[in-house]
Amino acid sequence: MRKLFFFSILVLFSLTLFLMWFYSFREFSFGYFVLLILGFLTVLGIYDSFQTKHAILRNFPVVGHFRYILESISPEIQQYFIESNTDGRPFSRNIRALAYRRAKSVNDTHPFGTQRDIDGEDYVALRHSIYAVHVKDEDLRIEIGGPDCKQPYSASIFNISAMSFGSLSANAVRALNLGAKKGRFFHNTGEGGISDYHMQGGDLCWQIGTGYFGCRDEHGNFDSEKFKEKAARPEVKMIEIKISQGAKPGHGGVLPGVKNTPEIAHIRGVKAGTTVLSPPAHSAFSDSEGLIEFIRELRELSGGKPIGFKLCIGRTEEFIEICKEMVAKGCKPDFITIDGAEGGTGAAPLEFSDSVGLPLEPALIFARAALEKFHLKDDIKLIASGKALSAFSILKNIALGADACNSARGFMFSIGCIQALRCNTNECPTGVATQRRGLAKGLVVTDKSERVYNFHKNTINAVKELLGASGHHHTSELTIHDLVKGDEMIKLANRYFPDTVNTQV
């Protein structure tokens, strides 16, 4: 191919010179431009032939570059020209469009019937009632706070899941928090800590990860005094200990160096420009007993605010051990966030995203059964995190055992995310998941915060309509028996090996 390339260049070069001579050089001035292009291609071809990093370019000089160009735009080709309305990943075009329409408060109805395969194995539906009711509760809420909690919090059933400043731009965080303020739902800070952009007046769930960002000493260990100072802020309504997340359980968070600006480094207490890898495990505790004691410590330091923890369930026996320790110590969290293996992240090794952790649905069923077995559920709220975006997905998670849902990618869609799959490159075209000022500037906070509010409001309204169709007045009345798989005679409960779950519990 190299010989063919250089032979072709030589032929074109000779042909151009001949034409320039034939028509006289002055009358064929365009030939100089052609010679310039051929000269550039010749130099590039020589470089490609002698470079040692890419075999394709050595074997196919110049032409081989088209392979890398096409590869770089393959996500866009897939999304805009190939995928159907129902097969996009991780969210289909229909689901993304639903989020966009609700964020803009425009018509969110769907024409001409379902496009899903309702006879397929994955079809799950809500068992509606012929005696539908009108749900009067204007904003479906739950109270989070057990008997040891001195400052219980009234939470919406739909909230913003953990996303740090650093993974998201400053404008994105501000828009999310302002939307949460107007809609009266909470905004999880993510493990990156509380930034000035989180302080727009919205309620916060402060997440404490393994890196203890915002409450760490110079060695990266937990600093109780720094925690006490920040936990006293009135915007901080709850504190969440992040044990693991669904997209990469046991791996720890990742902030690419290109996103680690001096501002972010100052907030987190790390060195700017370096890739920040949170430890895979906490240094403040290493077993169930230590976890329960840490919960007790944070509750005291925070003045009695709701304390919980977030995890993706892997070894079910470890969750059982935590339940036993709660009973033994007489201390329990106020809430537990269950993250499914299908949860999202801006950056994770493929093996962790694809192959580690229990999916949300069986994890919720198991966690609820375990808490009820040890008579803990009445004092502990379960929050589901993992692809909760539509009203049905929220109702399904609650029917499976949750009390409320958190969504990250759903609210990202509401502020303009187009699922470009560039979160880990700092090149997010919509200014959501980037620290490049030029890109982030395109996200207008005043407009997008209103869309966050609209998305939450319209989704909750859709939840109430579905809830009324099922014959219930509040989401707390839902159970797994409200869901069916395929047809009305096959209940979803039969899908999840109940004997195995009951044996472990």
Side-chain angles (χ1 to χ4, degrees), residues 83-290:
E83 74 175 32
S84 71
N85 288 337
T86 58
D87 63 3
R89 293 290 185 271
F91 290 90
S92 70
R93 190 190 302 270
N94 279 343
I95 292 296
R96 299 197 306 269
L98 177 67
Y100 298 144
R101 291 195 295 264
R102 285 183 174 160
K104 297 174 184 177
S105 266
V106 297
N107 183 8
D108 64 354
T109 58
H110 188 74
F112 225 63
T114 182
Q115 296 177 358
R116 295 182 59 196
D117 178 12
I118 63 174
D119 294 320
E121 293 183 359
D122 294 332
Y123 180 72
V124 177
L126 182 71
R127 295 175 70 209
H128 70 281
S129 171
I130 60 174
Y131 308 109
V133 299
H134 176 68
V135 180
K136 297 180 180 179
D137 195 349
E138 301 220 348
D139 188 9
L140 298 169
R141 307 187 74 82
I142 60 169
E143 184 167 288
I144 300 177
D148 297 325
C149 177
K150 297 179 181 178
Q151 302 183 50
Y153 174 66
S154 174
S156 170
I157 62 164
F158 190 44
N159 306 280
I160 303 173
S161 193
M163 293 181 286
S164 304
F165 169 57
S167 60
L168 298 191
S169 67
N171 282 2
V173 174
R174 288 173 59 206
L176 289 171
N177 196 259
L178 285 169
K181 176 184 178 181
K182 185 173 182 179
R184 297 175 58 241
F185 53 97
F186 73 73
H187 177 193
N188 192 306
T189 65
E191 65 175 316
I194 304 172
S195 68
D196 291 341
Y197 310 110
H198 288 99
M199 306 297 289
Q200 308 298 312
D203 293 343
L204 294 179
C205 177
W206 180 20
Q207 187 180 84
I208 310 297
T210 55
Y212 304 113
F213 300 124
C215 56
R216 59 187 269 150
D217 61 21
E218 58 183 0
H219 303 293
N221 297 314
F222 177 71
D223 188 315
S224 59
E225 290 303 316
K226 289 182 179 178
F227 171 83
K228 185 176 181 179
E229 177 186 353
K230 290 183 173 61
R233 293 177 174 178
E235 294 87 354
V236 176
K237 304 299 183 182
M238 306 193 300
I239 293 99
E240 179 181 80
I241 305 165
K242 176 188 171 184
I243 298 177
S244 62
Q245 70 179 97
K248 49 190 174 187
H251 187 273
V254 180
L255 179 67
V258 292
K259 287 188 173 183
N260 186 15
T261 65
E263 180 184 24
I264 294 171
H266 175 72
I267 293 170
R268 298 195 178 198
V270 296
K271 184 178 179 181
T274 60
T275 296
V276 181
L277 301 173
S278 301
H282 282 264
S283 59
F285 58 89
S286 58
D287 53 24
S288 59
E289 181 180 2

Side-chain angles (χ1 to χ4, degrees), residues 259-475:
K259 287 188 173 183
N260 186 15
T261 65
E263 180 184 24
I264 294 171
H266 175 72
I267 293 170
R268 298 195 178 198
V270 296
K271 184 178 179 181
T274 60
T275 296
V276 181
L277 301 173
S278 301
H282 282 264
S283 59
F285 58 89
S286 58
D287 53 24
S288 59
E289 181 180 2
L291 170 61
I292 299 305
E293 290 300 328
F294 192 54
I295 290 172
R296 191 194 304 273
E297 179 183 3
L298 296 190
R299 183 175 283 128
E300 292 175 357
L301 290 171
S302 67
K305 291 185 177 180
I307 309 295
F309 61 85
K310 171 182 177 178
L311 83 165
C312 175
I313 293 179
R315 297 183 178 178
T316 52
E317 62 271 20
E318 293 178 343
F319 190 83
I320 295 295
E321 184 181 1
I322 293 173
C323 291
K324 291 180 179 178
E325 198 64 36
M326 294 179 199
V327 175
K329 293 288 185 180
C331 176
K332 64 197 81 167
D334 300 292
F335 66 95
I336 298 174
T337 303
I338 304 294
D339 201 4
E342 65 271 40
T345 179
L350 182 65
E351 296 88 347
F352 276 82
S353 293
D354 284 355
S355 310
V356 184
L358 199 62
L360 179 61
E361 293 179 0
L364 272 177
I365 292 175
F366 167 77
R368 177 95 183 200
L371 293 176
E372 289 176 346
K373 174 68 176 180
F374 290 95
H375 307 291
L376 297 166
K377 182 61 192 70
D378 289 344
D379 297 327
I380 300 174
K381 293 295 187 291
L382 276 177
I383 301 175
S385 176
K387 298 186 75 171
L389 191 154
S390 68
F392 175 72
S393 64
I394 294 171
L395 284 181
K396 183 178 74 170
N397 288 340
I398 294 176
L400 292 174
D403 295 287
C405 292
N406 288 349
S407 176
R409 289 168 290 183
F411 284 98
M412 288 176 69
F413 288 140
S414 75
I415 57 175
C417 169
I418 60 172
Q419 196 170 279
L421 305 182
R422 295 281 189 265
C423 310
N424 60 331
T425 65
N426 206 33
E427 300 293 334
C428 173
T430 58
V432 177
T434 181
Q435 293 305 308
R436 288 185 54 182
R437 292 184 182 274
L439 292 172
K441 190 177 180 180
L443 195 157
V444 180
V445 174
T446 52
D447 175 62
K448 301 303 184 184
S449 63
E450 192 68 20
R451 294 193 183 190
V452 171
Y453 165 73
N454 289 338
F455 173 63
H456 178 270
K457 177 188 68 176
N458 292 326
T459 302
I460 291 295
N461 287 338
V463 167
K464 290 192 289 187
E465 290 179 350
L466 279 180
L467 191 63
S470 69
H472 297 305
H473 291 87
H474 195 276
T475 52

Side-chain angles (χ1 to χ4, degrees), residues 32-50:
Y32 292 105
F33 177 73
V34 175
L35 289 178
L36 181 64
I37 296 298
L38 291 175
F40 171 76
L41 294 177
T42 301
V43 172
L44 180 60
I46 293 173
Y47 172 79
D48 288 345
S49 298
F50 287 95

